[in-house]
Amino acid sequence: MKRLIPYILLSLLTLFMSACSDEEDFSTSSSCLLTISNDTVSFDTVLTTIGSSTKRVVVYNNNDNGVRAKSVRLTSGGTSGFRINVDGISGPYAENIEILGNDSIFMFVDINAPTQNSNVPKEITDTILFSLESGVQQYIILSAYGQDVNILQGKVYKNGENAVMDSNTPYLILDSLKVEEGATLTINAGTTLYLHSKSYIIVEGKLIVNGNETQPVTFKGDRTDKMFPYLPYDRIDGQWGGLRFTESSTENQISYADIHGGDNAITCEESGVDKCKLTILNSVIHNFNGYGLTSTNNKLVLKDTQISNAKYDCIRLIGGDYDFDQCTIAQFSALHSERGYAFYCWNYYLSEDGDTVSCPLNVNIKNTILTGYGKDELAVCMPYTKADLVLSISRSLLNSDTTGMRRYISMNIDNCLFESEDNAAYKAKNFKTIDTHNYIYDFHLDSLSLAFGKNGERNLGAW
């Protein structure tokens, strides 16, 4: 035993010296600085009182010796709405944060922006201050723009109510919004509606959207951050539900609207053709995770309107009476490897009992571009009866071979242009920008498109 005592003492001395050595490894030299992955952390527009996404910052110590921060804190004390988590410690203030030599820690930043009392986005700034033991101070600048919103959660406009949404402050729709039968909702020019995931606008009464050329009404998802540094969620479909017009709803009108990024843009349940169910003018319906426009046995009028990029069909019609004039119907979705047609229609449906029910269909298309990636973007399901499916297309540009379908339906084609690989502008080349990497689309016409007239004026399409 006596022989072991010197070895035990030596081991204890070694451990003691090692502990002292670790303590000495933390440098107090002003030349030992931290390297921070971001000197600025910026958030795009954030909706006030709604928490943002979280961003990660990596703090590196590239020195051989450890570096200790006496404190890491928000200079606002947390009143700005920014929040930090430093190496697992949450709060506006953390003490004695140690980073070993050639090591790193993670920091997480988000913001729950307070109300700004402003109709326009207002800048919010703060600073994360690192106070090192050496006396050196290092900073990260934080910035965001806070946008106040009117939050409507489970909102219902009752029978007899004539409600108006104005453009002073955007609206955030949670848990959907309903316009009951007998109620009317009017949305004025310049109004923006943010809709949360799976939220719909359900119209049993009447919806009037009164946008104008310089102040459209916008329907979009409520995620204002980015999926990737180059890709905002605003360019991704499936961010909200859509607009649904029920059986009792007729005489709706949408003018100068921008409707994008949801599941099913516009769904029209059956109301018959005695009254016009919906008129859409000068609007954009773009980028949906389901259908762009679906309708069963209704009367609809669309003019100067773009319907583009859907997982399934941009337009799907079952029976009814439809007029399309000066529209662009384009299926160039890059988010889905398999996509539907630009235009798909038929004249029957199955009842709840499984019986086939005839539903006469009359479609009139003129001055319109109908195109997409597919070999043929115009599809007609085998009709219930030939006489009850009438498709008239005049002065339009088509990515379709209509020869086969003429045997099965009543089809009138007058003075139309048919796309071909021989055309200088073909499919996507008709348009200014089809960027399938960044999901940026500009459906204004390219100068080489056949939709331009001989004198350079636009003859066909919405824009």
Side-chain angles (χ1 to χ4, degrees):
M1 181 66 183
K2 291 181 179 179
R3 292 180 180 179
L4 293 176
I5 291 174
Y7 296 101
I8 295 172
L9 292 174
L10 180 62
S11 298
L12 291 173
L13 181 61
T14 302
L15 289 172
F16 177 76
M17 292 179 66
S18 175
C20 291
S21 176
D22 286 343
E23 184 68 27
E24 291 169 1
D25 281 343
F26 285 89
S27 173
T28 57
S29 170
S30 60
S31 64
C32 287
L33 301 177
L34 299 174
T35 302
I36 303 172
S37 61
N38 308 71
D39 57 8
T40 301
V41 177
S42 298
F43 293 80
D44 295 321
T45 301
V46 295
L47 306 183
T48 58
T49 73
I50 305 296
S52 72
S53 60
T54 300
K55 296 196 175 186
R56 187 183 73 173
V57 177
V58 185
V59 183
Y60 299 94
N61 176 15
N62 294 326
N63 304 286
D64 291 332
N65 295 324
V67 173
R68 183 183 290 113
K70 293 174 62 178
S71 66
V72 180
R73 64 185 178 88
L74 289 167
T75 57
S76 71
T79 59
S80 65
F82 283 102
R83 300 180 296 195
I84 59 174
N85 180 298
V86 185
D87 199 26
I89 301 173
S90 297
Y93 186 91
E95 294 181 307
N96 298 320
I97 300 300
E98 297 179 348
I99 309 177
L100 300 178
N102 298 304
D103 202 353
S104 62
I105 62 169
F106 291 120
M107 173 184 293
F108 299 94
V109 184
D110 69 356
I111 180 172
N112 191 336
T115 300
Q116 300 298 298
N117 298 314
S118 173
N119 292 332
V120 298
K122 196 171 179 181
E123 187 175 15
I124 305 169
T125 60
D126 205 339
T127 304
I128 302 174
L129 175 62
F130 292 77
S131 297
L132 308 185
E133 277 193 331
S134 63
V136 172
Q137 293 186 327
Q138 294 183 256
Y139 304 86
I140 301 176
I141 304 300
L142 307 179
S143 69
Y145 282 85
Q147 171 66 69
D148 287 347
V149 289
N150 294 310
I151 298 176
L152 302 179
Q153 185 161 10
K155 177 66 176 179
V156 177
Y157 294 107
K158 300 291 187 178
N159 181 8
E161 191 171 354
N162 291 308
V164 177
M165 287 184 173
D166 58 42
S167 62
N168 290 335
T169 304
Y171 294 82
L172 173 60
I173 310 300
L174 302 174
D175 301 328
S176 296
L177 177 151
K178 181 184 285 188
V179 182
E180 286 190 344
E181 186 174 359
T184 299
L185 173 61
T186 300
I187 306 177
N188 286 333
T191 302
T192 295
L193 287 82
Y194 294 97
L195 290 103
H196 194 58
S197 177
K198 306 304 177 184
S199 290
Y200 279 80
I201 293 178
I202 301 167
V203 184
E204 298 171 349
K206 185 182 295 186
L207 176 67
I208 305 296
V209 176
N210 280 332
N212 59 47
E213 187 171 4
T214 58
Q215 294 179 302
V217 172
T218 302
F219 301 79
K220 61 193 296 186
D222 66 346
R223 290 205 66 170
T224 59
D225 55 323
K226 295 179 179 179
M227 175 179 284
F228 304 115
Y230 68 92
L231 185 60
Y233 275 99
D234 195 46
R235 297 183 204 156
I236 303 297
D237 62 21
Q239 299 302 305
W240 57 288
L243 279 69
R244 183 183 302 155
F245 297 90
T246 69
E247 180 181 352
S248 60
S249 178
T250 60
E251 298 180 330
N252 301 283
Q253 181 163 314
I254 297 175
S255 298
Y256 287 101
D258 175 359
I259 306 169
H260 67 269
D263 286 327
N264 296 293
I266 295 178
T267 303
C268 295
E269 298 176 2
E270 182 175 4
S271 297
V273 296
D274 293 337
K275 292 183 179 180
C276 185
K277 186 175 186 73
L278 175 62
T279 300
I280 305 177
L281 307 173
N282 301 291
S283 295
V284 173
I285 300 166
H286 176 68
N287 200 25
F288 279 79
N289 191 40
Y291 297 98
L293 168 67
T294 63
S295 174
T296 301
N297 194 27
N298 294 298
K299 181 177 179 62
L300 269 62
V301 175
L302 286 84
K303 186 173 182 180
D304 289 297
T305 289
Q306 170 191 316
I307 302 181
S308 52
N309 291 17
K311 179 179 180 180
Y312 301 129
D313 306 315
C314 292
I315 295 176
R316 172 171 283 205
L317 308 176
I318 304 174
D321 193 342
Y322 304 92
D323 280 297
F324 296 86
D325 185 7
Q326 209 80 53
C327 292
T328 296
I329 305 166
Q331 177 62 297
F332 293 104
S333 176
L335 290 166
H336 309 283
S337 57
E338 295 184 7
R339 63 188 72 84
Y341 295 97
F343 196 105
Y344 193 14
C345 63
W346 62 94
N347 67 341
Y348 64 90
Y349 62 89
L350 296 178
S351 69
E352 293 181 358
D353 298 328
D355 297 326
T356 301
V357 180
S358 176
C359 193
L361 173 66
N362 180 61
V363 180
N364 184 28
I365 300 172
K366 58 184 178 181
N367 305 314
T368 287
I369 300 171
L370 197 161
T371 188
Y373 282 132
K375 183 178 180 180
D376 194 327
E377 290 292 351
L378 173 61
V380 178
C381 191
M382 187 70 72
Y384 184 71
T385 58
K386 180 175 180 178
D388 284 341
L389 202 164
V390 180
L391 183 58
S392 301
I393 308 176
S394 62
R395 297 191 73 254
S396 295
L397 176 62
L398 306 176
N399 173 12
S400 177
D401 180 4
T402 61
T403 304
M405 68 180 70
R406 296 187 199 193
R407 292 178 292 175
Y408 306 108
I409 68 173
S410 297
M411 192 168 196
N412 306 309
I413 302 292
D414 179 38
N415 197 24
C416 288
L417 300 170
F418 294 88
E419 288 195 318
S420 165
E421 294 181 1
D422 297 331
N423 301 146
Y426 172 62
K427 296 185 178 180
K429 293 181 180 179
N430 275 295
F431 307 106
K432 284 191 174 180
T433 305
I434 304 291
D435 181 346
T436 57
H437 174 70
N438 296 294
Y439 304 120
I440 296 173
Y441 296 83
D442 183 349
F443 286 99
H444 287 84
L445 292 176
D446 183 88
S447 60
L448 296 178
S449 174
L450 295 178
F452 270 118
K454 293 181 180 180
N455 297 322
E457 74 278 8
R458 186 204 74 185
N459 280 354
L460 308 173
W463 315 112

